[in-house]
């Protein structure tokens, strides 16, 4: 006996509420790091994330809005990684700074897109064309730098290190060197320059904190 009913085509399972946004952001983090913000089209992003274009515009008014949200999402996801990292364990604040730099060096592994920074990548492309993305990237970079200020200040206080150094400027220096290392790694096509940048940064901190007497003398002479 033949079956006259047409075969049923299985429909894809609907994406749970809220998951489409997370998929888009996770995919944006990957694609932008791999190929840049300009090269990551909305169509390509939706295809890679497995969501519809309608879902994209339900969550984001524009590609620029997606970029700013991706910077915020990057901050949220990486904050957890750093908050739970082992470099917080040493009792000496200077040892915590060195442990932080060692931790950053350990993260520089794998393909370039896997260890370079999303917000550093985006801001290089968009700083002159999107205030929203630029501001979100700045908040991410300076926000992470701010997490280092307390340890740097404690190390300065313990070792009598002061002007012309400030904890805030030294914390931001760590991010400046890291971002520069990522750029030179991309230019070279390998991780070597980024690892060298962290190693030199660690030597710079050793120079500052291992010679407090010299810096005190320099301030007195000034």
């Amino acid at each position: 006996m033949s079956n006259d009913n047409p075969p049923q085509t299985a429909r894809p399972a609907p994406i749970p509420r809220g998951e489409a946004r997370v998929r888009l952001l996770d995919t944006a983090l990957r694609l932008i790091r791999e190929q840049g913000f300009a090269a990551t089209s909305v169509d390509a992003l939706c295809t890679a994330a497995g969501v519809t274009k309608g879902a994209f515009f339900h969550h984001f008014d524009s590609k620029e809005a997606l970029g700013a949200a991706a910077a915020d999402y990057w901050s949220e996801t990486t904050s957890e990684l750093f908050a739970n990292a082992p470099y917080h364990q040493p009792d000496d604040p200077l040892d915590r700074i060195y442990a932080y730099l060692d931790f950053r060096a350990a993260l520089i592994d794998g393909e370039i897109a896997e260890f370079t920074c999303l917000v550093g990548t985006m801001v290089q492309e968009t700083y002159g064309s999107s205030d929203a993305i630029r501001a979100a990237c700045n908040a991410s970079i300076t926000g992470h730098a701010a997490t280092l200020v307390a340890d740097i200040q404690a190390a300065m206080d313990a070792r009598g290190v002061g002007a012309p150094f400030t904890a805030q400027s030294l914390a931001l220096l760590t991010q400046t060197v890291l971002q520069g290392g990522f750029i030179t790694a991309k230019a070279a096509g390998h991780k070597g320059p980024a690892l060298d940048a962290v190693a030199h940064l660690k030597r710079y901190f050793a120079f500052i904190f291992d010679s407090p007497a010299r810096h005190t003398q320099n301030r007195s002479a000034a």
Side-chain angles (χ1 to χ4, degrees):
M1 181 177 178
S2 63
N3 186 353
D4 295 331
N5 295 325
Q8 297 295 315
T9 301
R11 294 183 178 180
I15 298 173
R17 180 180 295 273
E19 186 176 326
R21 186 177 190 276
V22 173
R23 284 194 189 185
L24 286 164
L25 289 170
D26 283 336
T27 305
L29 264 55
R30 176 174 61 83
L31 291 183
I32 294 170
R33 293 166 83 191
E34 289 177 352
Q35 61 191 28
F37 182 74
T40 302
S41 68
V42 172
D43 287 336
L45 181 60
C46 291
T47 298
V51 302
T52 66
K53 203 167 181 179
F56 177 93
F57 286 107
H58 174 75
H59 293 287
F60 306 105
D61 292 337
S62 63
K63 184 182 173 184
E64 180 185 38
L66 176 278
D72 293 339
Y73 186 65
W74 172 259
S75 298
E76 294 170 9
T77 54
T78 57
S79 291
E80 183 176 355
L81 169 68
F82 287 104
N84 297 319
Y87 65 83
H88 300 286
Q89 296 175 0
D91 293 329
D92 188 324
L94 183 57
D95 288 339
R96 292 197 291 272
I97 296 168
Y98 290 145
Y100 167 78
L101 296 175
D102 289 339
F103 182 69
R104 294 306 305 249
L107 293 177
I108 300 173
D109 196 20
E111 298 297 324
I112 289 176
E114 296 173 354
F115 66 76
T116 50
C117 178
L118 173 92
V119 294
T121 297
M122 280 205 300
V123 78
Q124 290 173 58
E125 295 186 59
T126 63
Y127 75 94
S129 59
S130 172
D131 285 341
I133 296 177
R134 180 198 55 74
C137 291
N138 181 57
S140 180
I141 293 170
T142 58
H144 180 70
T147 67
L148 307 175
V149 170
D151 283 342
I152 295 175
Q153 187 63 62
M156 292 174 67
D157 293 343
R159 288 164 174 80
V161 176
F165 306 106
T166 68
Q168 290 78 9
S169 65
L170 288 172
L172 189 57
L173 174 68
T174 64
Q175 307 314 299
T176 301
V177 172
L178 285 164
Q179 294 295 341
F182 295 150
I183 291 172
T184 51
K186 290 175 180 177
H190 60 82
K191 65 183 180 181
L195 289 172
D196 287 344
V198 177
H200 285 303
L201 183 59
K202 192 172 181 180
R203 294 185 191 103
Y204 181 69
F205 271 84
F207 168 76
I208 293 172
F209 288 103
D210 290 346
S211 305
R214 176 167 59 237
H215 298 302
T216 302
Q217 292 169 0
N218 289 340
R219 291 198 303 276
S220 298

